[in-house]
Amino acid sequence: MDQVYAIGLFLFVLFLLLGSGVWIGLALLGVAYVGMEIFTARPIGDAMMTVMWRSASSWSLTALPMFIWMGEILYRTRLSEDMFRGLAPWMARLPGGLMHTNIAGCTVFAAVSGSSAATLTTVGKMTIPELRKRNYPERMVIGTLAGSATLGLMIPPSLTLIVYGVSINESITKLFIAGILPGLILAAMFMVYVVGASQLSKSYRPTPEPPMTFMEKVHRSRFLVPVFILILLVIGSMYMGVATATEAAAIGVIGSLLLAAWQRSLSLGTFCETLMGAARTSAMIALILSGAAFLSLAMGFTGLPRGLATAIAAMELSRFELLMVLMVFYIVLGCFLDGISIVVLTIAIVEPMIRQTGIDIIWFGIFVVLVVEMAQITPPIGFNLFVLQGMTGHEMNFIARAALPMFVIMVLMVFLLIAFPELATWLPDNMRPAAGG
């Protein structure tokens, strides 16, 4: 009964603060303060100071601002324009045509940016006008872009995976490598959907592209060389054990600055904008992590995480049944909270259940990111939907319906990941240990 009271109290205070327009990080701190006040006699100020400092001083967390900065720099380069020019000749002859550039472009940019919103904005500002000009169906243009942009959460470097790794004290590098195969398979499933829809739809009649010789295609591919080198440096250095995630982030920042200098697309003013953008995003995530760490401590005094894990164990759910319950739980949360907030808010409660059931922590990180990806295209709070609304001017209902097929494909990917867990565990199990840990 005490735990039911605790759950009710925490939820009431949380929704009261969020409904009042308080920042998520401050709302979490407020809930934790109330919990500490009621459930323990420990000095609240000392506990808050200790926990917040510990959560913010994690060495693994240093990768976060650098990967954010790398994405900010690349967002202000001509990367999206070059990607379209390099990818379009190869995509044009596939069934579905240039619609595949949405998916391929998001996949490539996701490998150098850990943000779904940055991926969506960078690729969308180039592909939407071009696809509209060629008479591609508006609904599919928006739907494929909304779904494919979520790959920024799965394909390394992923900000959500960094937050998950810090929250659960797991290797960021292994989590990054674990996201590669599932991310590429999800991108391939999106492309298969485009092929099928283009063949079955009678309204799919885009303007055909002019023919191009093989050597002309190869010549156009030169625009992709710099970004592929950057991807190999960042991801390859981690997989080969040459660099940790933090060191790979530093390599990525240097590489993106060199790419911007080579393109002459980064002035002193925009350089300062990248620094301020990275600082704002990093500070926001750090505040959320600090609030979640303090809330975890407060919930620990109530015995809530342990009690819930015991209750779940008493239900004797199978591994599959537990994962289905968690999938629905995360999808519902995704209707009201952003992905990073969902991870930091729930991990203290979910972790004991996962460990008790024997589910691999690395695999579960990919599972969580996959279901959190769905939150990006789930109304009413789906962030990608808001970004697309601003870019296209369409009503939210139209954009949500356009993204629905991609949501269904992500659900299918969840079942594929459950049926074949090796998709997420094979690469990290076979990578070389990083130098210096």
Side-chain angles (χ1 to χ4, degrees):
M1 192 63 189
D2 288 342
Q3 287 175 358
V4 173
Y5 167 70
I7 292 172
L9 177 70
F10 281 130
L11 290 177
F12 173 76
V13 177
L14 177 62
F15 285 115
L16 177 67
L17 291 173
L18 291 176
S20 304
V22 177
W23 292 349
I24 291 175
L26 294 179
L28 297 178
L29 286 171
V31 176
Y33 183 90
V34 172
M36 290 288 288
E37 187 72 50
I38 293 174
F39 295 107
T40 178
R42 183 174 175 178
I44 299 175
D46 290 348
M48 182 188 294
M49 179 179 63
T50 304
V51 170
M52 290 181 67
W53 172 255
R54 192 187 307 132
S55 69
S57 61
S58 165
W59 170 247
S60 301
L61 201 57
T62 54
L64 186 71
M66 284 191 285
F67 277 127
I68 293 172
W69 190 23
M70 182 175 79
E72 288 279 342
I73 295 166
L74 294 174
Y75 171 65
R76 288 166 173 81
T77 65
R78 295 197 312 270
L79 184 63
S80 61
E81 182 182 341
D82 285 353
M83 279 196 307
F84 190 87
R85 292 163 72 187
L87 290 170
W90 301 101
M91 302 289 118
R93 292 289 170 256
L94 293 176
L98 290 182
M99 191 70 75
H100 292 290
T101 56
N102 266 352
I103 302 164
C106 286
T107 304
V108 171
F109 192 79
V112 288
S113 167
S115 166
S116 171
T119 301
L120 174 58
T121 309
T122 305
V123 177
K125 71 181 179 182
M126 184 64 202
T127 61
I128 290 175
E130 294 292 334
L131 294 175
R132 280 176 170 172
K133 192 164 46 177
R134 292 165 171 82
N135 300 315
Y136 280 88
E138 184 77 0
R139 189 182 292 266
M140 282 196 66
V141 171
I142 291 173
T144 53
L145 194 56
S148 304
T150 64
L151 294 168
L153 299 182
M154 171 135 355
I155 295 177
S158 162
L159 303 186
T160 310
L161 282 176
I162 293 176
V163 170
Y164 173 83
V166 170
S167 301
I168 212 163
N169 197 25
E170 188 51 79
S171 166
I172 307 294
T173 304
K174 284 192 173 183
L175 286 165
F176 276 0
I177 300 304
I180 295 175
L181 271 181
L184 293 177
I185 290 170
L186 185 57
M189 291 170 73
F190 290 154
M191 295 182 82
V192 169
Y193 161 72
V194 169
V195 171
S198 67
Q199 299 302 306
L200 296 174
S201 173
K202 295 179 181 178
S203 62
Y204 200 97
R205 294 193 185 93
T207 306
E209 294 294 300
M212 191 177 289
T213 66
F214 177 76
M215 289 311 298
E216 286 176 322
K217 292 180 182 178
V218 171
H219 184 65
R220 285 279 194 93
S221 298
R222 73 186 188 280
F223 295 112
L224 297 174
V225 172
V227 70
F228 279 129
I229 291 174
L230 186 58
I231 292 169
L232 285 174
L233 283 173
V234 174
I235 300 177
S237 63
M238 287 188 289
Y239 186 78
M240 296 304 294
V242 177
T244 63
T246 304
E247 292 160 350
I251 293 170
V253 168
I254 294 169
S256 59
L257 286 171
L258 290 174
L259 177 59
W262 177 69
Q263 291 183 338
R264 297 180 180 177
S265 56
L266 197 66
S267 64
L268 179 61
T270 52
F271 177 77
C272 293
E273 286 176 19
T274 65
L275 284 172
M276 290 304 298
R280 279 193 297 268
T281 306
S282 301
M284 177 195 71
I285 295 174
L287 181 60
I288 293 173
L289 281 170
S290 298
F294 189 38
L295 180 57
S296 298
L297 178 69
M299 288 194 300
F301 282 108
T302 69
L304 185 57
R306 198 182 315 109
L308 283 176
T310 304
I312 293 290
M315 294 168 65
E316 297 184 348
L317 295 176
S318 67
R319 176 178 177 271
F320 179 77
E321 289 169 339
L322 175 62
L323 290 173
M324 289 301 97
V325 169
L326 290 175
M327 182 176 78
V328 173
F329 171 64
Y330 278 115
I331 290 174
V332 171
L333 276 182
C335 294
F336 306 101
L337 294 170
D338 67 281
I340 288 176
S341 302
I342 291 171
V343 171
V344 297
L345 191 58
T346 60
I347 211 65
I349 296 174
V350 170
E351 183 183 0
M353 306 180 198
I354 297 307
R355 294 193 185 276
Q356 197 163 6
T357 317
I359 295 173
D360 186 272
I361 292 296
I362 297 287
W363 180 92
F364 186 71
I366 305 305
F367 170 86
V368 167
V369 167
L370 186 54
V371 292
V372 163
E373 279 184 350
M374 300 177 194
Q376 300 293 307
I377 56 174
T378 307
I381 308 295
F383 191 68
N384 284 9
L385 304 184
F386 284 110
V387 175
L388 275 170
Q389 188 179 35
M391 292 174 70
T392 63
H394 286 295
E395 291 184 0
M396 184 62 72
N397 285 341
F398 178 86
I399 297 173
R401 285 198 302 270
L404 183 60
M406 317 308 279
F407 180 88
V408 173
I409 291 170
M410 290 182 196
V411 174
L412 293 175
M413 183 63 200
V414 169
F415 289 107
L416 193 63
L417 195 63
I418 293 172
F420 303 99
E422 297 82 11
L423 294 176
T425 57
W426 186 80
L427 277 178
D429 284 346
N430 288 278
M431 65 181 284
R432 293 184 186 178

